[in-house]
Amino acid sequence: MQTPIGVFDSGYGGLTVLKEITKRLPQYDYIYLGDNARAPYGNRSYETVYHYTLQCVDWLFKQNCPLIILACNTASAKALRTIQQNDLDKKFPGKKILGVIRPTTEIIGDHSKTNHVGIMATNGTVQSRSYLIEIEKFSADTKVVQQACPMLVPLIENNEFENEAADYFIKKYITELLKQDDEIDTILLACTHYPLIKKQIEKFLPKDIIVIAQGEIVAASLEDYLKRHAEIEQQLSKNKSIQFYTTDSAEEFNDHASIFYGEEVKAEHVEL
Ligand code: DGL
């Protein structure tokens, strides 16, 4: 029986995280679920993000995943804590869910020399203030400002991110972010879709500002977690398989996914 690591995102963005995880930990089996039929989550309410995420997590646990990574900042910010507190022990005893915010906030302070960090994220992630709260815990002397970038996920999901329209919004959001704090030397891409536009973002920034994507950070943190949690690691099957599922059309998923994943994928449709 396969007991894969589940990786969830509202759509395609989590594929950028899955890519880095499988690069670092190729021995395991993986199952990816994109809730493309209901993406993006970025502007949705807490209740809706919680409800959708719980449904997806429930499906992944039913596929025998001992552990799920919420490779979506919006879901990590708006649903993870509630699921961990209210649902995990009751409905899925012994199972674990990890998000992408904690591993990132643990180390982001180490990257900044000025101790001024900028966050680019969806509306939902910004409103949750999760990054402000978590970074405060790990590097209290780091000043953090946030910029909501609501147009970026739709542009990326619709493959309209390498044109003047995308450049316009990227420039606008960067200008607004730097206007809040001109000492920022580190910008965190706190949305799993944004690695696709990392180069465009860098194009509009002074050379001394570094841009950080989460994939490698999350992969390193997962490796460390599995070393510390033998009871989970030993449950994971190790056949190097990766399965992809989407709540929307599998054909469409296959057409778009390679931009995020860097290679062709063959997904199946799932009805939740
Ligand atoms: N990829 C998700 C994230 O990291 C956002 C996509 C969405 O808004 O659904 O926040």
Side-chain angles (χ1 to χ4, degrees):
M1 186 181 65
Q2 299 254 10
T3 45
I5 297 176
V7 179
F8 165 72
D9 182 47
S10 57
Y12 300 106
L15 292 168
T16 63
V17 177
L18 178 66
K19 185 77 200 171
E20 297 300 334
I21 293 178
T22 53
K23 225 189 265 172
R24 193 164 189 124
L25 301 166
Q27 65 272 41
Y28 299 110
D29 294 312
Y30 294 91
I31 181 163
Y32 182 89
L33 175 61
D35 191 9
N36 298 78
R38 303 184 292 196
Y41 282 10
N43 287 324
R44 297 193 188 275
S45 67
Y46 272 88
E47 291 70 28
T48 304
V49 174
Y50 165 66
H51 175 67
Y52 288 176
T53 305
L54 185 60
Q55 261 190 335
C56 293
V57 157
D58 181 66
W59 184 83
L60 281 168
F61 282 142
K62 286 190 179 130
Q63 313 310 306
N64 298 320
C65 297
L67 168 71
I68 295 172
I69 310 295
L70 294 188
C72 174
N73 285 274
T74 311
S76 298
K78 290 184 137 180
L80 178 60
R81 175 113 46 95
T82 316
I83 294 176
Q84 282 173 334
Q85 286 175 354
N86 296 358
D87 305 289
L88 204 54
D89 284 348
K90 241 187 283 162
K91 296 190 191 132
F92 321 107
K95 308 256 187 186
K96 297 283 179 236
I97 309 183
L98 303 173
V100 288
I101 296 180
R102 178 72 185 256
T104 316
T105 54
E106 272 175 7
I107 56 107
I108 192 69
D110 303 342
H111 287 272
S112 173
K113 293 198 183 81
T114 60
N115 285 339
H116 289 249
V117 171
I119 307 284
M120 293 174 76
T122 64
N123 265 334
T125 301
V126 166
Q127 279 160 13
S128 76
R129 298 178 60 82
S130 299
Y131 276 92
L132 303 182
I133 296 164
E134 291 295 318
I135 293 175
E136 166 79 24
K137 286 184 200 159
F138 300 110
S139 18
D141 52 349
T142 299
K143 182 172 181 235
V144 187
V145 292
Q146 311 189 91
Q147 180 60 45
C149 310
M151 288 302 290
L152 298 185
V153 169
L155 284 165
I156 295 167
E157 292 255 316
N158 289 292
N159 205 0
E160 294 283 353
F161 59 93
E162 283 173 321
N163 56 33
E164 283 171 19
D167 278 357
Y168 169 83
F169 283 107
I170 291 169
K171 216 166 146 184
K172 172 177 150 70
Y173 295 139
I174 288 174
T175 307
E176 283 169 15
L177 180 68
L178 297 180
K179 219 190 283 170
Q180 295 183 59
D181 181 351
D182 61 7
E183 288 182 66
I184 289 172
D185 70 347
T186 305
I187 292 180
L188 172 67
L189 305 183
C191 171
T192 54
H193 282 68
Y194 298 174
L196 268 77
I197 51 167
K198 186 168 180 270
K199 286 213 166 66
Q200 278 154 281
I201 292 173
E202 284 166 342
K203 194 171 79 183
F204 295 115
L205 286 171
K207 289 269 172 298
D208 54 342
I209 300 184
I210 57 162
V211 181
I212 297 194
Q214 289 174 304
E216 286 179 32
I217 300 170
V218 173
S221 162
L222 175 60
E223 185 176 39
D224 178 58
Y225 177 89
L226 292 174
K227 276 188 195 141
R228 289 183 290 108
H229 292 83
E231 76 287 3
I232 297 292
E233 203 283 334
Q234 282 160 9
Q235 288 180 53
L236 297 170
S237 55
K238 300 172 184 77
N239 304 300
K240 303 182 179 180
S241 74
I242 310 175
Q243 292 167 273
F244 298 89
Y245 290 88
T246 174
T247 55
D248 207 346
S249 140
E251 288 73 36
E252 199 163 314
F253 188 90
N254 295 343
D255 280 350
H256 279 71
S258 58
I259 312 170
F260 294 81
Y261 193 59
E263 58 187 282
E264 294 296 317
V265 310
K266 216 169 158 356
E268 279 177 51
H269 170 77
V270 62
E271 208 63 55
L272 295 182

PDB file of all heavy atoms in Angstrom, residues 3 36 74 80 88 107 109 120 126 128 130 140 146 154 166 174 179 187 201 203 230 235 238 246 256:
ATOM      1  N   THR A   3       1.748   4.967   0.935  1.00  0.00           N
ATOM      2  CA  THR A   3       1.436   5.954   1.983  1.00  0.00           C
ATOM      3  C   THR A   3       2.257   7.214   1.672  1.00  0.00           C
ATOM      4  O   THR A   3       3.305   7.447   2.263  1.00  0.00           O
ATOM      5  CB  THR A   3       1.797   5.398   3.372  1.00  0.00           C
ATOM      6  OG1 THR A   3       3.096   4.780   3.297  1.00  0.00           O
ATOM      7  CG2 THR A   3       0.791   4.381   3.852  1.00  0.00           C
ATOM      8  N   ASN A  36      -8.073  23.480  -8.330  1.00  0.00           N
ATOM      9  CA  ASN A  36      -8.171  24.464  -9.406  1.00  0.00           C
ATOM     10  C   ASN A  36      -9.597  24.937  -9.677  1.00  0.00           C
ATOM     11  O   ASN A  36      -9.796  26.066 -10.104  1.00  0.00           O
ATOM     12  CB  ASN A  36      -7.590  23.875 -10.700  1.00  0.00           C
ATOM     13  CG  ASN A  36      -6.139  23.530 -10.558  1.00  0.00           C
ATOM     14  OD1 ASN A  36      -5.816  22.497  -9.969  1.00  0.00           O
ATOM     15  ND2 ASN A  36      -5.256  24.364 -11.043  1.00  0.00           N
ATOM     16  N   THR A  74      -2.046  31.012   1.549  1.00  0.00           N
ATOM     17  CA  THR A  74      -3.390  31.448   1.938  1.00  0.00           C
ATOM     18  C   THR A  74      -4.036  30.392   2.832  1.00  0.00           C
ATOM     19  O   THR A  74      -4.592  30.710   3.888  1.00  0.00           O
ATOM     20  CB  THR A  74      -4.252  31.709   0.680  1.00  0.00           C
ATOM     21  OG1 THR A  74      -3.513  32.529  -0.226  1.00  0.00           O
ATOM     22  CG2 THR A  74      -5.550  32.389   1.035  1.00  0.00           C
ATOM     23  N   LEU A  80      -4.889  26.456   8.480  1.00  0.00           N
ATOM     24  CA  LEU A  80      -4.044  25.440   9.120  1.00  0.00           C
ATOM     25  C   LEU A  80      -4.282  25.334  10.622  1.00  0.00           C
ATOM     26  O   LEU A  80      -4.518  24.248  11.153  1.00  0.00           O
ATOM     27  CB  LEU A  80      -2.563  25.726   8.823  1.00  0.00           C
ATOM     28  CG  LEU A  80      -1.554  24.780   9.474  1.00  0.00           C
ATOM     29  CD1 LEU A  80      -1.771  23.346   9.031  1.00  0.00           C
ATOM     30  CD2 LEU A  80      -0.112  25.202   9.150  1.00  0.00           C
ATOM     31  N   LEU A  88      -7.928  17.825  13.438  1.00  0.00           N
ATOM     32  CA  LEU A  88      -6.897  16.801  13.220  1.00  0.00           C
ATOM     33  C   LEU A  88      -7.056  15.592  14.145  1.00  0.00           C
ATOM     34  O   LEU A  88      -7.197  14.465  13.674  1.00  0.00           O
ATOM     35  CB  LEU A  88      -5.507  17.445  13.366  1.00  0.00           C
ATOM     36  CG  LEU A  88      -4.369  16.735  12.655  1.00  0.00           C
ATOM     37  CD1 LEU A  88      -4.665  16.515  11.175  1.00  0.00           C
ATOM     38  CD2 LEU A  88      -3.071  17.511  12.800  1.00  0.00           C
ATOM     39  N   ILE A 107      13.505  31.420   9.415  1.00  0.00           N
ATOM     40  CA  ILE A 107      14.857  31.747   8.928  1.00  0.00           C
ATOM     41  C   ILE A 107      14.954  33.068   8.161  1.00  0.00           C
ATOM     42  O   ILE A 107      16.052  33.517   7.853  1.00  0.00           O
ATOM     43  CB  ILE A 107      15.414  30.608   8.050  1.00  0.00           C
ATOM     44  CG1 ILE A 107      14.479  30.304   6.882  1.00  0.00           C
ATOM     45  CG2 ILE A 107      15.647  29.347   8.848  1.00  0.00           C
ATOM     46  CD1 ILE A 107      15.025  30.775   5.601  1.00  0.00           C
ATOM     47  N   GLY A 109      14.671  36.148   8.906  1.00  0.00           N
ATOM     48  CA  GLY A 109      15.445  37.200   9.580  1.00  0.00           C
ATOM     49  C   GLY A 109      16.951  37.059   9.330  1.00  0.00           C
ATOM     50  O   GLY A 109      17.676  38.059   9.259  1.00  0.00           O
ATOM     51  N   MET A 120       5.626  39.966   0.010  1.00  0.00           N
ATOM     52  CA  MET A 120       4.638  40.079  -1.076  1.00  0.00           C
ATOM     53  C   MET A 120       3.749  38.842  -0.994  1.00  0.00           C
ATOM     54  O   MET A 120       4.262  37.713  -0.946  1.00  0.00           O
ATOM     55  CB  MET A 120       5.334  40.120  -2.444  1.00  0.00           C
ATOM     56  CG  MET A 120       6.153  41.389  -2.644  1.00  0.00           C
ATOM     57  SD  MET A 120       7.107  41.359  -4.191  1.00  0.00           S
ATOM     58  CE  MET A 120       5.817  41.681  -5.409  1.00  0.00           C
ATOM     59  N   VAL A 126      -1.949  38.494   3.661  1.00  0.00           N
ATOM     60  CA  VAL A 126      -1.632  39.791   4.282  1.00  0.00           C
ATOM     61  C   VAL A 126      -2.618  40.093   5.408  1.00  0.00           C
ATOM     62  O   VAL A 126      -2.223  40.440   6.529  1.00  0.00           O
ATOM     63  CB  VAL A 126      -1.636  40.915   3.212  1.00  0.00           C
ATOM     64  CG1 VAL A 126      -1.651  42.303   3.860  1.00  0.00           C
ATOM     65  CG2 VAL A 126      -0.425  40.764   2.294  1.00  0.00           C
ATOM     66  N   SER A 128      -4.310  38.129   7.230  1.00  0.00           N
ATOM     67  CA  SER A 128      -4.159  37.224   8.380  1.00  0.00           C
ATOM     68  C   SER A 128      -3.060  37.681   9.337  1.00  0.00           C
ATOM     69  O   SER A 128      -3.029  37.280  10.494  1.00  0.00           O
ATOM     70  CB  SER A 128      -3.797  35.808   7.890  1.00  0.00           C
ATOM     71  OG  SER A 128      -2.435  35.754   7.492  1.00  0.00           O
ATOM     72  N   SER A 130      -0.230  36.708   9.522  1.00  0.00           N
ATOM     73  CA  SER A 130       0.543  35.545   9.979  1.00  0.00           C
ATOM     74  C   SER A 130       2.043  35.798   9.913  1.00  0.00           C
ATOM     75  O   SER A 130       2.786  35.402  10.816  1.00  0.00           O
ATOM     76  CB  SER A 130       0.227  34.314   9.126  1.00  0.00           C
ATOM     77  OG  SER A 130      -1.122  34.008   9.232  1.00  0.00           O
ATOM     78  N   ALA A 140      12.641  39.175  16.675  1.00  0.00           N
ATOM     79  CA  ALA A 140      11.858  40.299  17.190  1.00  0.00           C
ATOM     80  C   ALA A 140      12.402  41.649  16.718  1.00  0.00           C
ATOM     81  O   ALA A 140      11.649  42.625  16.628  1.00  0.00           O
ATOM     82  CB  ALA A 140      11.831  40.248  18.716  1.00  0.00           C
ATOM     83  N   GLN A 146       4.229  44.519   4.709  1.00  0.00           N
ATOM     84  CA  GLN A 146       3.577  43.587   3.777  1.00  0.00           C
ATOM     85  C   GLN A 146       2.941  44.338   2.613  1.00  0.00           C
ATOM     86  O   GLN A 146       2.458  45.454   2.790  1.00  0.00           O
ATOM     87  CB  GLN A 146       2.432  42.857   4.469  1.00  0.00           C
ATOM     88  CG  GLN A 146       2.724  42.229   5.804  1.00  0.00           C
ATOM     89  CD  GLN A 146       1.547  41.383   6.227  1.00  0.00           C
ATOM     90  OE1 GLN A 146       1.499  40.206   5.940  1.00  0.00           O
ATOM     91  NE2 GLN A 146       0.585  41.985   6.917  1.00  0.00           N
ATOM     92  N   PRO A 154      -4.011  35.697 -10.441  1.00  0.00           N
ATOM     93  CA  PRO A 154      -4.797  35.542 -11.669  1.00  0.00           C
ATOM     94  C   PRO A 154      -3.959  35.686 -12.938  1.00  0.00           C
ATOM     95  O   PRO A 154      -4.142  34.927 -13.890  1.00  0.00           O
ATOM     96  CB  PRO A 154      -5.840  36.676 -11.577  1.00  0.00           C
ATOM     97  CG  PRO A 154      -5.928  36.985 -10.124  1.00  0.00           C
ATOM     98  CD  PRO A 154      -4.598  36.686  -9.522  1.00  0.00           C
ATOM     99  N   ALA A 166       1.541  42.412 -16.758  1.00  0.00           N
ATOM    100  CA  ALA A 166       2.132  41.855 -15.537  1.00  0.00           C
ATOM    101  C   ALA A 166       3.218  42.790 -15.013  1.00  0.00           C
ATOM    102  O   ALA A 166       3.283  43.077 -13.807  1.00  0.00           O
ATOM    103  CB  ALA A 166       2.707  40.472 -15.829  1.00  0.00           C
ATOM    104  N   ILE A 174       5.767  46.611  -6.088  1.00  0.00           N
ATOM    105  CA  ILE A 174       7.108  46.825  -5.536  1.00  0.00           C
ATOM    106  C   ILE A 174       7.246  48.269  -5.052  1.00  0.00           C
ATOM    107  O   ILE A 174       7.772  48.532  -3.969  1.00  0.00           O
ATOM    108  CB  ILE A 174       8.192  46.531  -6.601  1.00  0.00           C
ATOM    109  CG1 ILE A 174       8.282  45.031  -6.835  1.00  0.00           C
ATOM    110  CG2 ILE A 174       9.545  47.069  -6.174  1.00  0.00           C
ATOM    111  CD1 ILE A 174       9.208  44.666  -7.965  1.00  0.00           C
ATOM    112  N   LYS A 179       7.792  51.951  -0.669  1.00  0.00           N
ATOM    113  CA  LYS A 179       7.341  53.228  -0.119  1.00  0.00           C
ATOM    114  C   LYS A 179       7.067  53.092   1.389  1.00  0.00           C
ATOM    115  O   LYS A 179       7.232  54.014   2.165  1.00  0.00           O
ATOM    116  CB  LYS A 179       6.053  53.664  -0.840  1.00  0.00           C
ATOM    117  CG  LYS A 179       6.012  55.178  -1.118  1.00  0.00           C
ATOM    118  CD  LYS A 179       4.660  55.614  -1.595  1.00  0.00           C
ATOM    119  CE  LYS A 179       4.429  55.261  -3.056  1.00  0.00           C
ATOM    120  NZ  LYS A 179       3.008  55.467  -3.459  1.00  0.00           N
ATOM    121  N   ILE A 187      13.228  40.654   0.196  1.00  0.00           N
ATOM    122  CA  ILE A 187      11.792  40.520  -0.108  1.00  0.00           C
ATOM    123  C   ILE A 187      11.453  39.042  -0.179  1.00  0.00           C
ATOM    124  O   ILE A 187      12.098  38.269  -0.897  1.00  0.00           O
ATOM    125  CB  ILE A 187      11.427  41.228  -1.431  1.00  0.00           C
ATOM    126  CG1 ILE A 187      11.579  42.749  -1.251  1.00  0.00           C
ATOM    127  CG2 ILE A 187       9.999  40.872  -1.867  1.00  0.00           C
ATOM    128  CD1 ILE A 187      11.238  43.561  -2.489  1.00  0.00           C
ATOM    129  N   ILE A 201      10.364  40.397 -10.980  1.00  0.00           N
ATOM    130  CA  ILE A 201      10.391  41.216  -9.763  1.00  0.00           C
ATOM    131  C   ILE A 201      11.803  41.787  -9.583  1.00  0.00           C
ATOM    132  O   ILE A 201      11.979  42.988  -9.342  1.00  0.00           O
ATOM    133  CB  ILE A 201       9.958  40.382  -8.534  1.00  0.00           C
ATOM    134  CG1 ILE A 201       8.473  40.014  -8.651  1.00  0.00           C
ATOM    135  CG2 ILE A 201      10.235  41.130  -7.228  1.00  0.00           C
ATOM    136  CD1 ILE A 201       7.958  39.057  -7.584  1.00  0.00           C
ATOM    137  N   LYS A 203      13.974  42.404 -11.750  1.00  0.00           N
ATOM    138  CA  LYS A 203      14.253  43.400 -12.798  1.00  0.00           C
ATOM    139  C   LYS A 203      13.931  44.820 -12.329  1.00  0.00           C
ATOM    140  O   LYS A 203      14.578  45.773 -12.723  1.00  0.00           O
ATOM    141  CB  LYS A 203      13.382  43.018 -14.008  1.00  0.00           C
ATOM    142  CG  LYS A 203      13.722  43.671 -15.311  1.00  0.00           C
ATOM    143  CD  LYS A 203      12.931  43.018 -16.437  1.00  0.00           C
ATOM    144  CE  LYS A 203      11.482  43.523 -16.484  1.00  0.00           C
ATOM    145  NZ  LYS A 203      10.638  42.889 -17.485  1.00  0.00           N
ATOM    146  N   ALA A 230      10.537  10.160  13.536  1.00  0.00           N
ATOM    147  CA  ALA A 230      10.667   8.817  12.956  1.00  0.00           C
ATOM    148  C   ALA A 230       9.305   8.136  12.862  1.00  0.00           C
ATOM    149  O   ALA A 230       9.055   7.343  11.945  1.00  0.00           O
ATOM    150  CB  ALA A 230      11.619   7.995  13.811  1.00  0.00           C
ATOM    151  N   GLN A 235       6.309   5.620   8.417  1.00  0.00           N
ATOM    152  CA  GLN A 235       5.026   5.263   7.781  1.00  0.00           C
ATOM    153  C   GLN A 235       5.037   5.541   6.279  1.00  0.00           C
ATOM    154  O   GLN A 235       4.160   5.083   5.551  1.00  0.00           O
ATOM    155  CB  GLN A 235       3.907   6.107   8.381  1.00  0.00           C
ATOM    156  CG  GLN A 235       3.520   5.755   9.792  1.00  0.00           C
ATOM    157  CD  GLN A 235       2.399   6.663  10.267  1.00  0.00           C
ATOM    158  OE1 GLN A 235       1.363   6.796   9.619  1.00  0.00           O
ATOM    159  NE2 GLN A 235       2.606   7.316  11.385  1.00  0.00           N
ATOM    160  N   LYS A 238       8.180   4.394  -0.025  1.00  0.00           N
ATOM    161  CA  LYS A 238       9.358   4.957  -0.716  1.00  0.00           C
ATOM    162  C   LYS A 238       9.545   4.271  -2.069  1.00  0.00           C
ATOM    163  O   LYS A 238      10.398   3.414  -2.240  1.00  0.00           O
ATOM    164  CB  LYS A 238      10.601   4.781   0.163  1.00  0.00           C
ATOM    165  CG  LYS A 238      10.454   5.488   1.516  1.00  0.00           C
ATOM    166  CD  LYS A 238      11.569   5.185   2.479  1.00  0.00           C
ATOM    167  CE  LYS A 238      11.342   5.826   3.838  1.00  0.00           C
ATOM    168  NZ  LYS A 238      10.367   5.156   4.696  1.00  0.00           N
ATOM    169  N   THR A 246      -6.447  17.055  -9.753  1.00  0.00           N
ATOM    170  CA  THR A 246      -7.009  18.396  -9.779  1.00  0.00           C
ATOM    171  C   THR A 246      -8.529  18.303  -9.661  1.00  0.00           C
ATOM    172  O   THR A 246      -9.126  17.333 -10.161  1.00  0.00           O
ATOM    173  CB  THR A 246      -6.640  19.144 -11.081  1.00  0.00           C
ATOM    174  OG1 THR A 246      -7.336  20.402 -11.100  1.00  0.00           O
ATOM    175  CG2 THR A 246      -6.996  18.359 -12.338  1.00  0.00           C
ATOM    176  N   HIS A 256      -1.098  23.499 -18.199  1.00  0.00           N
ATOM    177  CA  HIS A 256      -0.502  24.612 -17.439  1.00  0.00           C
ATOM    178  C   HIS A 256       0.610  24.183 -16.484  1.00  0.00           C
ATOM    179  O   HIS A 256       1.505  24.954 -16.176  1.00  0.00           O
ATOM    180  CB  HIS A 256      -1.574  25.289 -16.571  1.00  0.00           C
ATOM    181  CG  HIS A 256      -2.416  26.255 -17.318  1.00  0.00           C
ATOM    182  ND1 HIS A 256      -3.334  25.853 -18.242  1.00  0.00           N
ATOM    183  CD2 HIS A 256      -2.478  27.596 -17.270  1.00  0.00           C
ATOM    184  CE1 HIS A 256      -3.935  26.917 -18.738  1.00  0.00           C
ATOM    185  NE2 HIS A 256      -3.430  27.994 -18.172  1.00  0.00           N
TER     186      HIS A 256
END
